[in-house]
Amino acid sequence: MLFAPIGRFITLCARHAWLVVALFCVLSGACVYAGMTQLGVTTDTSKMLSPRLAWKQRSDEMARLFPQKENLLVAVVEADLPEEGQETARQLAEKLAADHQHFSFANRPDASPYLERNGLMFLEPKPLAGILNDTIAAQPFLSALAQDPSARGLFGALSLIAQGVKQGEANLAGFQAPLTGFANTLEKAADGQASPMSWQRLLGGQLSDLAGRYQFVITQPVLDYGSFQPGGAATDAMLGVIKDLEFVRTGHAKVHLTGQVQLDDEEFATVAEGMVAGLVGSLLLVTLWLTLAVRSWRVVLPIVVTLVVGLLLTTGFAAVAVGTLNLISVAFAILFVGIAVDFAIQFSVRFRAQSPEATGKEGMYEALRMTGEETGHQILVAALATSAGFLAFTPTAFLGVAQLGLIAGIGMLVAFVCTTTLLPALLCICRPPLNCPSMGYAWMKPVDAQIRHHRKWLLAFFGVVAVIGLALVPSLQFDGDPLHTKNPNSEGMRALSLLIDNPQTSPYSAELLVKSLADAQKEADRLDELPDVHDVMWLGSYVPTQQPEKLALIQDAASMLLPTLIVPNPKPAPDAAALRASAASTAAALAEVLDKLPANDPLRRIQAALARLSTASDERVLAANTALVRFLPPELAQLRTMLQAGPVSIHDVPPSIADDYLLPDGRALVEVHPKGVMSSSGALRKFVGSLQKIEPDMAGTAVDIVESARSIVRAFEQAAGAAVVMIAIILIIALRRVKDMALVLAPLLLSALMTVILVVLLPETLNFANIIALPLLLGVGVSFNIYFVMNWRDGVKSPLASPTARAVLFSALTTGTAFGSLALSHHPGTASMGRLLLLSLACTLLGTLVFVPALLPKRAEDDV
């Protein structure tokens, strides 16, 4: 066996302690250099899964064919008035488009001249007729404004209304809402609190709501994947522009940032922040647990130094073997500390419990040899089994965890080497006191006896627990939506929450690439019939239907409206005196008809406000003019443009829109939006499933989420199976008995099933972040069980009273501290990982400290 060789090797390292320390210093320095020069971090989440997967190939192909849809940073503009939102978005887009250092492009998807000109054409005939009739009824009012687009012209138009009321020819029933809005603005202006008036709402009515509440600026930032936040520079540049925008400064508009770039940057920043805080906090608590475990700084210091050196060596390996860490493998540092500390504690606790016959240095060497012979082979088997559990993930399609498995697997071997070479050398240098029998828990012997006495009842109880766990396995849910693991209070997620209820702006959609536009139309018609589909967009969706009927309505209205709206030479802007005179004249005209108006008619309020304005200062009158008509000229221009709409075909759709749906080779894109809110994985799976029954080759974000979840679950199933087989092989080689192998694996299986019960009952949904608790459960559980089973083979009678139990308990505390601190993170994914790790660790500890002692068969020496 390896007992004696490991003991002699440890003694050799202790006798040449300073040489060993010097050697590790050189190796650590080399690894630090390799880490600084060769190790990088990528936040490109598209590389987390294997490109060999069929759905991933389709997704990557879509990204290659339509690069303008990838890696977007989106500004969502929310304003008090539609015009303020449009003006804010226009200014932002213009400034960002000129910044070629940070942005590849910046545009407003709703500001296409094609869409503006044909805006009326996308209405159904009945609401279109209603809007045009209302506009025709307001022709005298609009004509006066077109000739004089100022407050003077507006007041003059109100005089015409007064004249109509006087003659009994004015029917104001349909204009109460616009007049009320005008009265509100005019009263504020007369009181010196002028604020812009929305002509879209006054004149457009329901048409003003068609564009939605928000304006968008779509940008594609220049990314630096070597940075922790690839879009950070572009985001900072955008924020610098936003804060100087007029309506943002006045508080009338807000700009929210979202999009994949913003979400990914926030994700990594939040996760990294949680990891740094968790690592610092856990190191402090780990030091405390180590002190309580070994009761001497002369042992704590060697353990901490050994951990740091082992971490540096593992980092050096990662730099050479991997080169670039991903968002999952970057967590190897916390993982290494959490598991590798177990080896050091096991060695150190048993070392302090030794009672060598010799004294001085020879006594130290003898104690180290005895510890090596007693525990070295156990740590070796634990390290090999743990390493195998991690390495089993390297061949899977989940490249994020595959990389983590490779680094952690080799890291466990590094930890074993450090524990059996550097740690003994440092212990020899620090010379802690020995002969500490109190390292065990003598008071636990009665508990050992009770467990052995009631072992049949305990085994029956755990058997029932295992059956319940097996029955609940199908109830496990895996949430594949990465949005559910993000911080809902982050800027990007708050902005996304504003859009998620609208199918047109929801992040969940599916895409299909077909051979031609004719095929696109067929697929759109077919997919649109599915009950889970809200709408289907293709290039033809941008061509209005029922054009002859709609154009006839528009042209009839244009024949009456355009002659009065097209004014070659409108009146010049008035001065303050002209405005006061106009206000006074209109106030007088309205005063003559007040007796004919209802008590609550807004014209009464307008007359009173005009009377006050007619005596106001120049500054107040000019401010009122700006507030009242600032957005009038663009609104009149837009109305003139829409009234000149003509027939269009699919060939008239501009490239700015067509390029998102049509490739140069004729292939066309079909985009499907789901019905309802995709707030649960079940709803998303149902939507994608219904599409895949018709078209198995669907792509898009919704498909990516569902398929990536399936791929990850499949990868973990394969890895778990391979890990158990590899661990079993190592155990059968090391223990040479199938029964002993089963004694190690049975508690491992029980711990997993108990974890299943807790996950279902709490409940705790599995996701991308916390599913890595599986390899950690394997690693920790195998180590703990191996120590107890091998102690039993070596004749230990009271496992819970032995130093091994103390080492296991404090190993669990240090491991729980290293991982469990993540549960306090504000990041939902990180917090869920911490919670699941704590649950699995608690189940593992229960299985090791209660189930294993009850499971161990009775021996002849137990009766002695």
Side-chain angles (χ1 to χ4, degrees), residues 655-854:
S656 59
I657 297 175
D659 289 347
D660 287 343
Y661 293 91
L662 186 65
L663 295 172
D665 60 7
R667 285 182 293 173
L669 184 72
V670 178
E671 189 174 81
V672 187
H673 299 129
K675 181 180 294 183
V677 180
M678 299 289 102
S679 57
S680 68
S681 294
L684 198 59
R685 285 195 299 270
K686 183 173 180 289
F687 168 64
V688 171
S690 65
L691 297 179
Q692 290 179 329
K693 288 180 181 178
I694 296 179
E695 288 294 343
D697 293 335
M698 296 293 294
T701 54
V703 177
D704 288 349
I705 291 172
V706 172
E707 290 295 345
S708 61
R710 291 173 182 167
S711 299
I712 290 174
V713 171
R714 192 178 305 116
F716 271 85
E717 290 173 347
Q718 295 170 353
V724 171
V725 171
M726 292 171 65
I727 291 172
I729 293 173
I730 291 173
L731 292 176
I732 199 67
I733 293 174
L735 304 178
R736 300 182 181 179
R737 289 204 295 256
V738 174
K739 179 179 70 174
D740 294 353
M741 177 194 71
L743 291 176
V744 175
L745 293 181
L748 191 64
L749 177 60
L750 176 66
S751 300
L753 293 175
M754 287 192 293
T755 303
V756 168
I757 295 174
L758 292 179
V759 167
V760 173
L761 293 182
L762 285 179
E764 184 71 49
T765 305
L766 298 177
N767 55 50
F768 291 100
N770 64 26
I771 199 171
I772 68 170
L774 175 59
L776 300 180
L777 172 64
L778 290 174
V780 175
V782 166
S783 297
F784 289 175
N785 298 337
I786 284 175
Y787 300 142
F788 270 57
V789 172
M790 295 187 79
N791 276 356
W792 170 78
R793 283 165 54 98
D794 293 340
V796 175
K797 293 183 179 181
S798 301
L800 297 183
S802 67
T804 299
R806 179 189 185 89
V808 165
L809 179 60
F810 279 99
S811 292
L813 285 173
T814 53
T815 302
T817 299
F819 299 140
S821 60
L822 300 176
L824 301 177
S825 171
H826 295 294
H827 182 266
T830 303
S832 70
M833 178 171 62
R835 292 193 301 269
L836 190 55
L837 288 170
L838 284 177
L839 292 177
S840 63
L841 182 61
C843 294
T844 298
L845 199 60
L846 180 63
T848 300
L849 297 181
V850 180
F851 180 63
V852 171

Side-chain angles (χ1 to χ4, degrees), residues 41-61:
V41 178
T42 178
T43 53
D44 188 354
T45 56
S46 66
K47 298 180 180 178
M48 296 292 284
L49 289 157
S50 172
R52 298 190 303 271
L53 296 168
W55 68 267
K56 187 67 166 59
Q57 291 177 347
R58 292 195 297 272
S59 179
D60 291 344
E61 179 68 2

Side-chain angles (χ1 to χ4, degrees), residues 69 106 180 198 217 325 359 429 451 495 587 597 725 753 805:
K69 295 186 176 185
T180 299
S198 174
V217 178
L325 301 175
T359 58
I429 292 172
I451 289 177
L597 298 174
V725 171
L753 293 175

Side-chain angles (χ1 to χ4, degrees), residues 49 133 289 314 320 355 378 403 440-441 528 534 615 649 724 808:
L49 289 157
N133 288 335
W289 300 137
T314 304
V320 174
S355 301
Q378 296 181 5
Q403 193 180 87
Y441 293 130
D528 197 37
H534 177 272
T615 60
S649 69
V724 171
V808 165

Side-chain angles (χ1 to χ4, degrees), residues 622-639:
L622 292 174
N625 179 69
T626 301
L628 290 170
V629 298
R630 172 171 181 175
F631 298 123
L632 174 60
E635 183 67 16
L636 292 175
Q638 174 68 15
L639 179 58

